Amino acid sequence: MRTYKPQWSDYGISRYRYDELTAFCRQYPEKKAEAASLLGVGSQRLDGMPHGTDVGDPTGRVVERRERLLSDIALIEKCAAQVDGGRWYTALIQNICLRKGYPYLDAEIMPTSNRNDFFKVKKRFFTVLDEKLRE
């Protein structure tokens, strides 16, 4: 299986930055699952027993963790929606985040069947994501 490594010199993104952005997007399903699992977490049980070093606000830490996850999810979705007017949104999410190869994407979710157009949009997605993460 050939691994696709695009040329990023025109876009100001190094190969390692591209790998970092790809890894960030590949965590999308995990982040969604963890954010959903953190929704129902309650506070610490007050039993009168001393607690070690983890004294504080566990509910607040859970809320902060969930908000970070949701902001990462929203950032990925916003970048996918911003590129080319959102026409490639579903295809980008499935290809980049859910690791579904280009040949296996449904033709119904693709605005055009031109392979080059898809990969140009994918490059634009990564440049937009890189700009947003650097802000």
Side-chain angles (χ1 to χ4, degrees):
M1 183 173 165
R2 182 175 68 97
T3 57
Y4 173 72
K5 296 290 183 190
Q7 298 297 320
W8 291 99
S9 57
D10 299 338
Y11 296 91
I13 297 176
S14 70
R15 176 178 173 234
Y16 301 112
R17 180 64 175 168
Y18 168 74
D19 290 341
E20 182 181 345
L21 294 171
T22 303
F24 178 76
C25 292
R26 297 267 166 93
Q27 295 173 8
Y28 178 82
E30 295 171 14
K31 290 179 181 193
K32 283 191 91 159
E34 187 177 349
S37 71
L38 291 176
L39 186 60
V41 175
S43 63
Q44 174 180 338
R45 185 171 47 117
L46 299 174
D47 55 3
M49 299 298 294
H51 296 278
T53 59
D54 199 21
V55 180
D57 186 12
T59 306
R61 284 192 300 273
V62 168
V63 169
E64 289 172 356
R65 173 74 180 149
R66 185 168 187 274
E67 288 301 316
R68 271 190 309 245
L69 292 169
L70 290 176
S71 70
D72 289 348
I73 292 167
L75 177 66
I76 292 170
E77 292 174 348
K78 179 181 176 184
C79 291
Q82 185 177 349
V83 174
D84 202 29
R87 293 179 357 169
W88 296 88
Y89 175 82
T90 307
L92 287 172
I93 295 293
Q94 285 186 3
N95 179 259
I96 297 168
C97 300
L98 305 179
R99 303 183 80 173
K100 194 171 186 180
Y102 175 80
Y104 304 105
L105 293 173
D106 295 329
E108 296 137 8
I109 64 170
M110 307 285 277
T112 156
S113 61
N114 189 341
R115 182 181 179 97
N116 290 333
D117 287 346
F118 174 76
F119 285 105
K120 286 178 186 176
V121 169
K122 187 174 176 179
K123 275 188 176 184
R124 273 187 267 155
F125 168 80
F126 279 114
T127 56
V128 169
L129 182 63
D130 183 48
E131 290 170 7
K132 296 287 184 186
L133 285 174
R134 289 185 191 271
E135 288 178 356

